[in-house]
Amino acid sequence: MFPDPSHHPPALDLFLMLAMGHFLGDFALQSDRMATEKCPGHDVTLPWYWWLGSHAAIHGFLVGLITGVPLLGLAEWVAHALTDIGKCRHLYRLPGDQAIHLATKLLWTWLVVRS
């Protein structure tokens, strides 16, 4: 009834899990307030860096959990925060932001699979 998972390349499986985790973190787990107030100058209830740090930490946790590598979680925490700062500064829009995030997940996949 279900396809045999042993026929899937492990890299594809890992990338798909990271991508799904990313969309969970960026859309389902990010409130409207967090999405707005994580940008400098738009913070009202808390300083922006608390919102951004918390949002990026969720992504770091998901990457660490999915890969089993806490240091990749830390790398994701930093990479996600830097990418979102670029979006806050209008260096790119949502499609560019999401492309950068997914490219980062490809990098994590490559690092895990090659080790």
Side-chain angles (χ1 to χ4, degrees), residues 58-96:
I58 290 168
H59 284 276
F61 174 75
L62 291 168
V63 166
L65 188 67
I66 292 166
T67 64
V69 183
L71 279 176
L72 276 184
L74 177 61
E76 172 67 19
W77 190 350
V78 172
H80 198 95
L82 291 173
T83 301
D84 280 7
I85 283 289
K87 184 176 170 225
C88 288
R89 292 183 177 162
H90 307 289
L91 299 177
Y92 34 82
R93 295 179 153 194
L94 182 65

Side-chain angles (χ1 to χ4, degrees), residues 7-64:
H7 289 100
H8 295 181
L12 177 61
D13 289 344
L14 179 57
F15 175 73
L16 289 173
M17 291 298 292
L18 289 170
M20 288 185 274
H22 169 74
F23 289 115
L24 176 69
D26 244 18
F27 296 97
L29 298 178
Q30 181 175 210
S31 68
D32 289 342
R33 175 173 284 167
M34 183 179 283
T36 300
E37 294 195 32
K38 70 182 178 184
C39 293
H42 294 96
D43 46 341
V44 176
T45 59
L46 286 173
W48 65 271
Y49 46 84
W50 284 104
W51 289 111
L52 179 64
S54 298
H55 173 65
I58 290 168
H59 284 276
F61 174 75
L62 291 168
V63 166

